[in-house]
Amino acid sequence: MPPGSAKSTYASILFPTWWFTQHPKTSILAASHSAGLAEQFSRRVRTLIDTNKNYLGFQLKAGHASAAAWATTSGGEYAALGVRGPIAGRRADLVIIDDPVKSQADADSIRQRDHIWEWYKADVSPRIKPGGKVVLIMTRWHPDDLGGQLLRQPEDDWRVLRLPALAEEEDPLGREVGEPLWPDWEDHAALSRRRALIGERIWSALYQQQPVAAQMRLFNVERITVLDDVPPAASNSVVRAWDLAATINVGQNDPDWTVGLRLQRDRTGRLIVEDIVRLRGTPSQVEDAIVQTARSDGRNVIISLPEDPGQAGRSQIAYLTRQLAGFHVIATRETGSKVARATPLASQIETGNLLIARARWNAEFVDELRTFPFGRKDDQVDALARAFTTVIERGESTRTLHHSLLVR
């Protein structure tokens, strides 16, 4: 089911309570991507049982106050744990796994996917009693997530209930094609806006439950328009973002590039790449290029620089800031993977909201976007992602200030 569809309410709160009414002397093992989330579900089940004990015919066993493990007066047992949490000594008639993957970054990590798969095979599977049941409820993230791995096992017979946000052919609920899953919560128009925002890859995985591999290109470069005339930028919305290559070593056949990409957001909200500077050089040559480019751009262009962790990174930024006295300089550390930083751009490109000024650098720039994240280079993508983030943050900051001035 898509995010926000109340799947945890059904599967992790109501279902185990009902299960105990049908199978009072059984054991439930409930797992989520973290122990904290699993115990949160556990507390809600306990509350539901406690407030309905007269109707249910059983209640919580006295002295069982821990959310991690408790029992009922009818002989039922319940244990909550996070993925790869301690499980030794426990056996289960019913295993409920609710959202074993916590983020897109984890889903895209081969290491994290392998950890979850090994946890299921080595820790969970041996704990299931003969005739036991397993319920896995999740938002699909990746073809090789836990759901995908299980469906490829020939000896397992899983019943799959897939409820996409927008109905497809042979919908299990009998919806017409394109009909929303929960229109009172998110109607077709709201889902369309969300789809445009997050892009096709995330939409297909999280909302339609049809994940595609990351090898599928992230950027639909055919949607990029080339401009012969660049319109004026909106106020405070031109950024020159830099991606700094590591020091070039003697003997390197294909060293990385240092890239300075200038991006503007025009008055209609479109994103336009106006210029790209690329060079391979020594630290002093790179520093000179940054200063000279800033002088050429003018003082109305914001300069966004990446700060490497450690004293060396702080020293470099301090030096460049002194050299760029009089310019608006922003220095921040990179966080998250390259793919995670670039993913918000995919939806902008998908909707035709990224344009480029016609120039000699167009072909190499578009080729790098086309092959990302599996191409030989990603320096221009990194610079674009930094510029995009800076432009968006500056726009939000300006709108907040403008709003507060209006309020006052």
Side-chain angles (χ1 to χ4, degrees), residues 73-393:
T73 54
S74 61
E77 296 180 343
Y78 184 104
L81 72 153
V83 169
R84 304 182 71 198
I87 196 174
R90 300 189 183 281
R91 301 277 283 168
D93 299 284
L94 171 66
V95 175
I96 302 174
I97 304 173
D98 187 340
D99 273 340
V101 182
K102 69 178 180 179
S103 68
Q104 183 75 58
D106 277 3
D108 284 337
S109 167
I110 295 176
R111 181 180 179 184
Q112 291 297 326
R113 294 198 305 271
D114 286 347
H115 281 331
I116 295 172
W117 179 230
E118 290 301 321
W119 166 77
Y120 179 83
K121 289 193 301 180
D123 291 356
V124 175
S125 183
R127 306 296 169 183
I128 303 170
K129 294 180 183 179
K133 312 295 182 185
V134 181
V135 174
L136 168 63
I137 183 162
M138 63 184 298
T139 293
R140 294 297 308 276
W141 292 85
H142 191 280
D144 290 328
D145 59 22
L146 182 56
Q149 295 272 19
L150 290 170
L151 290 175
R152 284 198 294 273
Q153 305 308 308
E155 67 277 13
D156 287 345
D157 185 17
W158 288 86
R159 179 185 177 189
V160 180
L161 178 61
R162 183 174 70 90
L163 300 176
L166 296 178
E168 300 172 353
E169 293 183 1
E170 300 182 3
D171 182 69
L173 301 179
R175 294 176 293 166
E176 296 293 330
V177 173
E179 186 178 343
L181 178 61
W182 191 357
D184 291 341
W185 179 254
E186 279 189 304
D187 59 17
H188 196 284
L191 289 170
S192 297
R193 290 192 296 270
R194 189 176 297 278
R195 183 176 187 172
L197 175 66
I198 65 178
E200 286 304 309
R201 183 192 171 205
I202 298 177
W203 170 263
S204 180
L206 270 64
Y207 284 83
Q208 296 301 102
Q209 307 306 302
Q210 293 278 32
V212 293
Q215 285 84 341
M216 176 183 175
R217 60 183 184 178
L218 185 63
F219 301 120
N220 184 4
V221 296
E222 283 72 22
R223 301 300 302 273
I224 296 175
T225 300
V226 180
L227 294 177
D228 290 309
D229 297 307
V230 177
S235 176
N236 203 33
S237 292
V238 185
V239 173
R240 172 79 71 171
W242 290 88
D243 180 69
L244 308 179
T247 302
I248 296 176
N249 296 321
V250 177
Q252 279 186 290
N253 293 325
D254 189 20
D256 289 338
W257 294 85
T258 287
V259 175
L261 181 147
R262 192 172 74 210
L263 179 75
Q264 68 133 298
R265 183 159 60 174
D266 71 9
R267 294 168 184 171
T268 66
R270 299 182 304 173
L271 301 166
I272 303 173
V273 180
E274 299 179 325
D275 180 61
I276 295 178
V277 173
R278 299 175 79 206
L279 72 145
R280 287 166 168 159
T282 64
S284 61
Q285 290 172 330
V286 168
E287 290 162 358
D288 288 344
I290 292 173
V291 173
Q292 293 303 321
T293 302
R295 292 172 179 168
S296 177
D297 286 341
R299 298 183 185 275
N300 290 329
V301 176
I302 300 166
I303 303 168
S304 181
L305 301 172
E307 179 182 336
D308 290 335
Q311 184 59 43
R314 290 193 292 272
S315 297
Q316 181 188 38
I317 292 301
Y319 172 79
L320 286 172
T321 302
R322 289 194 298 270
Q323 297 300 109
L324 294 166
F327 293 92
H328 186 168
V329 180
I330 299 173
T332 58
R333 293 184 181 180
E334 303 286 19
T335 58
S337 68
K338 290 176 179 288
V339 173
R341 297 198 301 270
T343 295
L345 284 165
S347 59
Q348 299 296 321
I349 294 175
E350 184 69 33
T351 57
N353 201 42
L354 182 73
L355 304 90
I356 59 177
R358 189 179 300 281
R360 294 174 59 184
W361 48 262
N362 289 173
E364 290 180 332
F365 174 64
V366 172
D367 283 345
E368 187 173 303
L369 289 177
R370 180 181 288 110
T371 59
F372 182 82
F374 300 98
R376 290 169 49 249
K377 298 297 177 187
D378 51 25
D379 317 294
Q380 295 177 94
V381 175
D382 286 346
L384 176 61
R386 169 169 283 275
F388 172 71
T389 299
T390 306
V391 164
I392 295 302
E393 289 177 350

